[in-house]
Amino acid sequence: MGEAREVMDRLTYAVTRHADLKVVADLYAEDAVAFTPDEGELRGRDNIVEYWRTMTEAVPEATFQPLHSYEIGDTAIDEGIFSGRNTGPLELPNGETLPPTQKEIRIRGVDIATVRDGRIVDYRLYFDEMDFLGQLGLLPDEPF
């Protein structure tokens, strides 16, 4: 196992059942860049850690079931199922906060992390945001 795989595995552990934002912060370079479906581009460690804070508070007992794990050079790639119950407030990109829905979620996604000198410098997260919102019961019953 190479450095990228080890760092990605530590990140996954730090944002699931045993959420530890200090570990998350230590895993990202100060000038890291991340891309997420719900927040778009995030620049800098502090903004990325804030993103993970909102996710770990919204789904504090989350688990990750890996389906595929790869490492190619300085990049680790995971595909898996993120699941848990929304028991915490969900902060929206517009600054509004939604109360917990108490609904179970199960979202398939892909994470890609490029690592240099033991820290993530580029991170990409892909998941179906509409599926996520639908599972939380936040979409209208009628089609658009």
Side-chain angles (χ1 to χ4, degrees):
M1 172 172 39
E3 180 179 60
R5 175 83 267 142
E6 188 265 333
V7 169
M8 178 72 98
D9 290 347
R10 287 178 56 210
L11 176 65
T12 300
Y13 188 80
V15 298
T16 55
R17 279 205 192 266
H18 309 333
D20 188 336
L21 296 178
K22 289 183 182 188
V23 170
V24 171
D26 191 49
L27 292 173
Y28 282 93
E30 191 172 325
D31 60 347
V33 177
F35 297 89
T36 70
D38 48 345
E39 292 287 332
E41 182 179 277
L42 303 167
R43 292 196 163 274
R45 175 190 301 145
D46 293 343
N47 290 325
I48 296 167
V49 171
E50 179 62 16
Y51 175 80
W52 286 119
R53 182 195 63 75
T54 63
M55 290 298 283
T56 59
E57 287 181 0
V59 187
E61 301 269 328
T63 61
F64 182 77
Q65 175 192 354
L67 300 174
H68 301 282
S69 296
Y70 305 98
E71 182 178 48
I72 303 162
D74 62 358
T75 301
I77 304 165
D78 283 344
E79 177 185 6
I81 308 289
F82 177 86
S83 59
R85 181 181 296 275
N86 173 225
T87 59
L90 184 63
E91 292 183 29
L92 301 176
N94 67 4
E96 292 181 38
T97 301
L98 295 175
T101 65
Q102 302 302 322
K103 298 204 184 246
E104 293 285 335
I105 60 160
R106 185 173 166 81
I107 306 297
R108 188 178 192 126
V110 174
D111 298 40
I112 303 169
T114 300
V115 175
R116 290 199 186 89
D117 299 323
R119 290 202 163 76
I120 299 168
V121 295
D122 185 79
Y123 178 80
R124 295 168 189 275
L125 173 63
Y126 299 97
F127 63 87
D128 185 333
E129 191 173 2
M130 294 300 282
D131 186 28
F132 176 60
L133 294 173
Q135 289 184 42
L136 290 173
L138 300 176
L139 295 179
D141 291 332
E142 297 295 318
F144 295 91

